[in-house]
PDB file of all heavy atoms in Angstrom:
ATOM      1  N   ILE A   1     -24.508 -40.086  30.802  1.00  0.00           N
ATOM      2  CA  ILE A   1     -24.212 -39.045  29.811  1.00  0.00           C
ATOM      3  C   ILE A   1     -25.507 -38.379  29.354  1.00  0.00           C
ATOM      4  O   ILE A   1     -25.598 -37.148  29.254  1.00  0.00           O
ATOM      5  CB  ILE A   1     -23.458 -39.648  28.612  1.00  0.00           C
ATOM      6  CG1 ILE A   1     -22.070 -40.138  29.059  1.00  0.00           C
ATOM      7  CG2 ILE A   1     -23.328 -38.631  27.485  1.00  0.00           C
ATOM      8  CD1 ILE A   1     -21.317 -40.896  27.977  1.00  0.00           C
ATOM      9  N   ALA A   2     -26.533 -39.202  29.102  1.00  0.00           N
ATOM     10  CA  ALA A   2     -27.825 -38.652  28.687  1.00  0.00           C
ATOM     11  C   ALA A   2     -28.434 -37.799  29.804  1.00  0.00           C
ATOM     12  O   ALA A   2     -28.974 -36.716  29.549  1.00  0.00           O
ATOM     13  CB  ALA A   2     -28.772 -39.785  28.300  1.00  0.00           C
ATOM     14  N   GLY A   3     -28.332 -38.293  31.042  1.00  0.00           N
ATOM     15  CA  GLY A   3     -28.862 -37.520  32.166  1.00  0.00           C
ATOM     16  C   GLY A   3     -28.123 -36.212  32.357  1.00  0.00           C
ATOM     17  O   GLY A   3     -28.728 -35.178  32.643  1.00  0.00           O
ATOM     18  N   GLY A   4     -26.793 -36.251  32.190  1.00  0.00           N
ATOM     19  CA  GLY A   4     -26.010 -35.023  32.300  1.00  0.00           C
ATOM     20  C   GLY A   4     -26.396 -34.013  31.243  1.00  0.00           C
ATOM     21  O   GLY A   4     -26.479 -32.806  31.517  1.00  0.00           O
ATOM     22  N   ALA A   5     -26.647 -34.504  30.024  1.00  0.00           N
ATOM     23  CA  ALA A   5     -27.088 -33.602  28.952  1.00  0.00           C
ATOM     24  C   ALA A   5     -28.432 -32.973  29.311  1.00  0.00           C
ATOM     25  O   ALA A   5     -28.665 -31.774  29.044  1.00  0.00           O
ATOM     26  CB  ALA A   5     -27.189 -34.365  27.636  1.00  0.00           C
ATOM     27  N   GLY A   6     -29.312 -33.759  29.928  1.00  0.00           N
ATOM     28  CA  GLY A   6     -30.604 -33.223  30.343  1.00  0.00           C
ATOM     29  C   GLY A   6     -30.477 -32.145  31.409  1.00  0.00           C
ATOM     30  O   GLY A   6     -31.146 -31.111  31.353  1.00  0.00           O
ATOM     31  N   VAL A   7     -29.598 -32.393  32.387  1.00  0.00           N
ATOM     32  CA  VAL A   7     -29.376 -31.399  33.443  1.00  0.00           C
ATOM     33  C   VAL A   7     -28.798 -30.110  32.866  1.00  0.00           C
ATOM     34  O   VAL A   7     -29.216 -29.003  33.212  1.00  0.00           O
ATOM     35  CB  VAL A   7     -28.455 -31.977  34.540  1.00  0.00           C
ATOM     36  CG1 VAL A   7     -28.003 -30.887  35.500  1.00  0.00           C
ATOM     37  CG2 VAL A   7     -29.171 -33.077  35.303  1.00  0.00           C
ATOM     38  N   LEU A   8     -27.820 -30.244  31.947  1.00  0.00           N
ATOM     39  CA  LEU A   8     -27.236 -29.061  31.316  1.00  0.00           C
ATOM     40  C   LEU A   8     -28.283 -28.302  30.516  1.00  0.00           C
ATOM     41  O   LEU A   8     -28.346 -27.064  30.556  1.00  0.00           O
ATOM     42  CB  LEU A   8     -26.077 -29.473  30.399  1.00  0.00           C
ATOM     43  CG  LEU A   8     -24.761 -29.857  31.070  1.00  0.00           C
ATOM     44  CD1 LEU A   8     -23.765 -30.318  30.014  1.00  0.00           C
ATOM     45  CD2 LEU A   8     -24.190 -28.679  31.848  1.00  0.00           C
ATOM     46  N   ALA A   9     -29.120 -29.035  29.771  1.00  0.00           N
ATOM     47  CA  ALA A   9     -30.156 -28.384  28.966  1.00  0.00           C
ATOM     48  C   ALA A   9     -31.151 -27.643  29.848  1.00  0.00           C
ATOM     49  O   ALA A   9     -31.552 -26.508  29.542  1.00  0.00           O
ATOM     50  CB  ALA A   9     -30.875 -29.430  28.109  1.00  0.00           C
ATOM     51  N   ALA A  10     -31.550 -28.271  30.960  1.00  0.00           N
ATOM     52  CA  ALA A  10     -32.500 -27.627  31.852  1.00  0.00           C
ATOM     53  C   ALA A  10     -31.903 -26.383  32.491  1.00  0.00           C
ATOM     54  O   ALA A  10     -32.577 -25.359  32.648  1.00  0.00           O
ATOM     55  CB  ALA A  10     -32.948 -28.615  32.940  1.00  0.00           C
ATOM     56  N   THR A  11     -30.615 -26.448  32.866  1.00  0.00           N
ATOM     57  CA  THR A  11     -29.953 -25.289  33.468  1.00  0.00           C
ATOM     58  C   THR A  11     -29.854 -24.148  32.462  1.00  0.00           C
ATOM     59  O   THR A  11     -30.115 -22.981  32.795  1.00  0.00           O
ATOM     60  CB  THR A  11     -28.553 -25.674  33.964  1.00  0.00           C
ATOM     61  OG1 THR A  11     -28.664 -26.718  34.932  1.00  0.00           O
ATOM     62  CG2 THR A  11     -27.859 -24.476  34.609  1.00  0.00           C
ATOM     63  N   ALA A  12     -29.473 -24.481  31.223  1.00  0.00           N
ATOM     64  CA  ALA A  12     -29.384 -23.450  30.196  1.00  0.00           C
ATOM     65  C   ALA A  12     -30.747 -22.826  29.933  1.00  0.00           C
ATOM     66  O   ALA A  12     -30.883 -21.601  29.817  1.00  0.00           O
ATOM     67  CB  ALA A  12     -28.816 -24.040  28.912  1.00  0.00           C
ATOM     68  N   TRP A  13     -31.793 -23.657  29.837  1.00  0.00           N
ATOM     69  CA  TRP A  13     -33.142 -23.151  29.604  1.00  0.00           C
ATOM     70  C   TRP A  13     -33.609 -22.279  30.762  1.00  0.00           C
ATOM     71  O   TRP A  13     -34.186 -21.209  30.560  1.00  0.00           O
ATOM     72  CB  TRP A  13     -34.102 -24.319  29.401  1.00  0.00           C
ATOM     73  CG  TRP A  13     -35.552 -23.888  29.369  1.00  0.00           C
ATOM     74  CD1 TRP A  13     -36.490 -24.036  30.339  1.00  0.00           C
ATOM     75  CD2 TRP A  13     -36.205 -23.191  28.297  1.00  0.00           C
ATOM     76  NE1 TRP A  13     -37.679 -23.489  29.957  1.00  0.00           N
ATOM     77  CE2 TRP A  13     -37.542 -22.966  28.700  1.00  0.00           C
ATOM     78  CE3 TRP A  13     -35.783 -22.748  27.042  1.00  0.00           C
ATOM     79  CZ2 TRP A  13     -38.457 -22.314  27.889  1.00  0.00           C
ATOM     80  CZ3 TRP A  13     -36.706 -22.097  26.227  1.00  0.00           C
ATOM     81  CH2 TRP A  13     -38.024 -21.888  26.650  1.00  0.00           C
ATOM     82  N   ARG A  14     -33.374 -22.739  31.993  1.00  0.00           N
ATOM     83  CA  ARG A  14     -33.790 -21.969  33.175  1.00  0.00           C
ATOM     84  C   ARG A  14     -33.087 -20.621  33.211  1.00  0.00           C
ATOM     85  O   ARG A  14     -33.631 -19.630  33.704  1.00  0.00           O
ATOM     86  CB  ARG A  14     -33.465 -22.764  34.446  1.00  0.00           C
ATOM     87  CG  ARG A  14     -33.880 -22.084  35.738  1.00  0.00           C
ATOM     88  CD  ARG A  14     -33.562 -22.964  36.942  1.00  0.00           C
ATOM     89  NE  ARG A  14     -33.926 -22.301  38.176  1.00  0.00           N
ATOM     90  CZ  ARG A  14     -33.132 -21.491  38.858  1.00  0.00           C
ATOM     91  NH1 ARG A  14     -31.915 -21.239  38.391  1.00  0.00           N
ATOM     92  NH2 ARG A  14     -33.527 -20.921  39.973  1.00  0.00           N
ATOM     93  N   THR A  15     -31.854 -20.566  32.695  1.00  0.00           N
ATOM     94  CA  THR A  15     -31.090 -19.326  32.703  1.00  0.00           C
ATOM     95  C   THR A  15     -31.553 -18.359  31.620  1.00  0.00           C
ATOM     96  O   THR A  15     -31.707 -17.165  31.856  1.00  0.00           O
ATOM     97  CB  THR A  15     -29.593 -19.627  32.500  1.00  0.00           C
ATOM     98  OG1 THR A  15     -29.151 -20.488  33.551  1.00  0.00           O
ATOM     99  CG2 THR A  15     -28.771 -18.358  32.528  1.00  0.00           C
ATOM    100  N   VAL A  16     -31.806 -18.893  30.429  1.00  0.00           N
ATOM    101  CA  VAL A  16     -32.079 -18.036  29.275  1.00  0.00           C
ATOM    102  C   VAL A  16     -33.552 -17.665  29.151  1.00  0.00           C
ATOM    103  O   VAL A  16     -33.882 -16.546  28.755  1.00  0.00           O
ATOM    104  CB  VAL A  16     -31.603 -18.737  27.979  1.00  0.00           C
ATOM    105  CG1 VAL A  16     -32.029 -17.958  26.745  1.00  0.00           C
ATOM    106  CG2 VAL A  16     -30.091 -18.894  28.004  1.00  0.00           C
ATOM    107  N   ALA A  17     -34.455 -18.588  29.500  1.00  0.00           N
ATOM    108  CA  ALA A  17     -35.879 -18.376  29.262  1.00  0.00           C
ATOM    109  C   ALA A  17     -36.426 -17.088  29.886  1.00  0.00           C
ATOM    110  O   ALA A  17     -37.162 -16.355  29.227  1.00  0.00           O
ATOM    111  CB  ALA A  17     -36.677 -19.588  29.764  1.00  0.00           C
ATOM    112  N   PRO A  18     -36.103 -16.762  31.166  1.00  0.00           N
ATOM    113  CA  PRO A  18     -36.638 -15.519  31.728  1.00  0.00           C
ATOM    114  C   PRO A  18     -36.173 -14.277  30.966  1.00  0.00           C
ATOM    115  O   PRO A  18     -36.919 -13.296  30.849  1.00  0.00           O
ATOM    116  CB  PRO A  18     -36.084 -15.516  33.172  1.00  0.00           C
ATOM    117  CG  PRO A  18     -35.799 -16.946  33.469  1.00  0.00           C
ATOM    118  CD  PRO A  18     -35.348 -17.535  32.175  1.00  0.00           C
ATOM    119  N   VAL A  19     -34.944 -14.301  30.451  1.00  0.00           N
ATOM    120  CA  VAL A  19     -34.436 -13.150  29.708  1.00  0.00           C
ATOM    121  C   VAL A  19     -35.165 -13.009  28.377  1.00  0.00           C
ATOM    122  O   VAL A  19     -35.564 -11.917  27.973  1.00  0.00           O
ATOM    123  CB  VAL A  19     -32.917 -13.297  29.462  1.00  0.00           C
ATOM    124  CG1 VAL A  19     -32.394 -12.123  28.654  1.00  0.00           C
ATOM    125  CG2 VAL A  19     -32.183 -13.390  30.783  1.00  0.00           C
ATOM    126  N   VAL A  20     -35.377 -14.143  27.707  1.00  0.00           N
ATOM    127  CA  VAL A  20     -36.103 -14.117  26.434  1.00  0.00           C
ATOM    128  C   VAL A  20     -37.523 -13.623  26.648  1.00  0.00           C
ATOM    129  O   VAL A  20     -38.046 -12.802  25.884  1.00  0.00           O
ATOM    130  CB  VAL A  20     -36.106 -15.514  25.797  1.00  0.00           C
ATOM    131  CG1 VAL A  20     -36.985 -15.533  24.548  1.00  0.00           C
ATOM    132  CG2 VAL A  20     -34.699 -15.946  25.447  1.00  0.00           C
ATOM    133  N   ALA A  21     -38.177 -14.099  27.716  1.00  0.00           N
ATOM    134  CA  ALA A  21     -39.554 -13.689  28.004  1.00  0.00           C
ATOM    135  C   ALA A  21     -39.644 -12.204  28.319  1.00  0.00           C
ATOM    136  O   ALA A  21     -40.588 -11.518  27.939  1.00  0.00           O
ATOM    137  CB  ALA A  21     -40.095 -14.510  29.170  1.00  0.00           C
ATOM    138  N   ALA A  22     -38.618 -11.680  29.023  1.00  0.00           N
ATOM    139  CA  ALA A  22     -38.618 -10.265  29.386  1.00  0.00           C
ATOM    140  C   ALA A  22     -38.388  -9.371  28.179  1.00  0.00           C
ATOM    141  O   ALA A  22     -38.912  -8.252  28.091  1.00  0.00           O
ATOM    142  CB  ALA A  22     -37.560  -9.995  30.443  1.00  0.00           C
ATOM    143  N   ARG A  23     -37.623  -9.860  27.208  1.00  0.00           N
ATOM    144  CA  ARG A  23     -37.302  -9.042  26.039  1.00  0.00           C
ATOM    145  C   ARG A  23     -38.424  -9.054  25.003  1.00  0.00           C
ATOM    146  O   ARG A  23     -38.546  -8.118  24.214  1.00  0.00           O
ATOM    147  CB  ARG A  23     -36.005  -9.534  25.390  1.00  0.00           C
ATOM    148  CG  ARG A  23     -34.771  -9.206  26.217  1.00  0.00           C
ATOM    149  CD  ARG A  23     -33.513  -9.730  25.542  1.00  0.00           C
ATOM    150  NE  ARG A  23     -32.322  -9.369  26.311  1.00  0.00           N
ATOM    151  CZ  ARG A  23     -31.102  -9.786  26.008  1.00  0.00           C
ATOM    152  NH1 ARG A  23     -30.915 -10.579  24.948  1.00  0.00           N
ATOM    153  NH2 ARG A  23     -30.054  -9.417  26.737  1.00  0.00           N
ATOM    154  N   ALA A  24     -39.233 -10.099  24.985  1.00  0.00           N
ATOM    155  CA  ALA A  24     -40.286 -10.215  23.979  1.00  0.00           C
ATOM    156  C   ALA A  24     -41.279  -9.064  24.009  1.00  0.00           C
ATOM    157  O   ALA A  24     -41.571  -8.460  22.970  1.00  0.00           O
ATOM    158  CB  ALA A  24     -40.998 -11.558  24.133  1.00  0.00           C
ATOM    159  N   PRO A  25     -41.808  -8.666  25.195  1.00  0.00           N
ATOM    160  CA  PRO A  25     -42.735  -7.528  25.214  1.00  0.00           C
ATOM    161  C   PRO A  25     -42.066  -6.235  24.758  1.00  0.00           C
ATOM    162  O   PRO A  25     -42.693  -5.384  24.135  1.00  0.00           O
ATOM    163  CB  PRO A  25     -43.171  -7.445  26.691  1.00  0.00           C
ATOM    164  CG  PRO A  25     -42.899  -8.800  27.232  1.00  0.00           C
ATOM    165  CD  PRO A  25     -41.697  -9.288  26.511  1.00  0.00           C
ATOM    166  N   ALA A  26     -40.773  -6.080  25.101  1.00  0.00           N
ATOM    167  CA  ALA A  26     -40.063  -4.861  24.718  1.00  0.00           C
ATOM    168  C   ALA A  26     -39.980  -4.750  23.196  1.00  0.00           C
ATOM    169  O   ALA A  26     -40.168  -3.682  22.613  1.00  0.00           O
ATOM    170  CB  ALA A  26     -38.676  -4.845  25.327  1.00  0.00           C
ATOM    171  N   ARG A  27     -39.722  -5.870  22.519  1.00  0.00           N
ATOM    172  CA  ARG A  27     -39.651  -5.848  21.052  1.00  0.00           C
ATOM    173  C   ARG A  27     -41.027  -5.528  20.473  1.00  0.00           C
ATOM    174  O   ARG A  27     -41.155  -4.780  19.514  1.00  0.00           O
ATOM    175  CB  ARG A  27     -39.174  -7.213  20.531  1.00  0.00           C
ATOM    176  CG  ARG A  27     -37.729  -7.522  20.843  1.00  0.00           C
ATOM    177  CD  ARG A  27     -37.239  -8.674  19.966  1.00  0.00           C
ATOM    178  NE  ARG A  27     -35.936  -9.134  20.405  1.00  0.00           N
ATOM    179  CZ  ARG A  27     -35.738 -10.199  21.169  1.00  0.00           C
ATOM    180  NH1 ARG A  27     -36.766 -10.891  21.595  1.00  0.00           N
ATOM    181  NH2 ARG A  27     -34.523 -10.563  21.518  1.00  0.00           N
ATOM    182  N   GLY A  28     -42.087  -6.094  21.104  1.00  0.00           N
ATOM    183  CA  GLY A  28     -43.421  -5.848  20.612  1.00  0.00           C
ATOM    184  C   GLY A  28     -43.831  -4.383  20.728  1.00  0.00           C
ATOM    185  O   GLY A  28     -44.475  -3.825  19.856  1.00  0.00           O
ATOM    186  N   SER A  29     -43.399  -3.737  21.818  1.00  0.00           N
ATOM    187  CA  SER A  29     -43.763  -2.334  22.022  1.00  0.00           C
ATOM    188  C   SER A  29     -43.091  -1.419  21.025  1.00  0.00           C
ATOM    189  O   SER A  29     -43.605  -0.351  20.699  1.00  0.00           O
ATOM    190  CB  SER A  29     -43.413  -1.915  23.460  1.00  0.00           C
ATOM    191  OG  SER A  29     -42.003  -1.947  23.636  1.00  0.00           O
ATOM    192  N   ARG A  30     -41.923  -1.830  20.491  1.00  0.00           N
ATOM    193  CA  ARG A  30     -41.228  -0.982  19.514  1.00  0.00           C
ATOM    194  C   ARG A  30     -41.855  -1.133  18.132  1.00  0.00           C
ATOM    195  O   ARG A  30     -41.631  -0.320  17.254  1.00  0.00           O
ATOM    196  CB  ARG A  30     -39.752  -1.353  19.468  1.00  0.00           C
ATOM    197  CG  ARG A  30     -38.958  -0.902  20.667  1.00  0.00           C
ATOM    198  CD  ARG A  30     -37.464  -0.936  20.362  1.00  0.00           C
ATOM    199  NE  ARG A  30     -37.010  -2.306  20.098  1.00  0.00           N
ATOM    200  CZ  ARG A  30     -36.563  -3.137  21.014  1.00  0.00           C
ATOM    201  NH1 ARG A  30     -36.548  -2.771  22.278  1.00  0.00           N
ATOM    202  NH2 ARG A  30     -36.150  -4.348  20.690  1.00  0.00           N
ATOM    203  N   GLY A  31     -42.617  -2.258  17.933  1.00  0.00           N
ATOM    204  CA  GLY A  31     -43.222  -2.470  16.619  1.00  0.00           C
ATOM    205  C   GLY A  31     -44.406  -1.558  16.399  1.00  0.00           C
ATOM    206  O   GLY A  31     -44.788  -1.296  15.268  1.00  0.00           O
TER     207      GLY A  31
END
């Protein structure tokens, strides 16, 4: 169960992190 939670967390992070990183510069440029 703990390992499954880790795999799910890593998959979610791998999915979301590139989008968050791509949006951060865009927000900075509008400031």
Side-chain angles (χ1 to χ4, degrees):
I1 294 173
V7 169
L8 284 176
T11 301
W13 171 255
R14 181 178 179 272
T15 301
V16 173
V19 178
V20 174
R23 288 179 178 175
R27 291 196 190 99
S29 66
R30 287 197 296 270

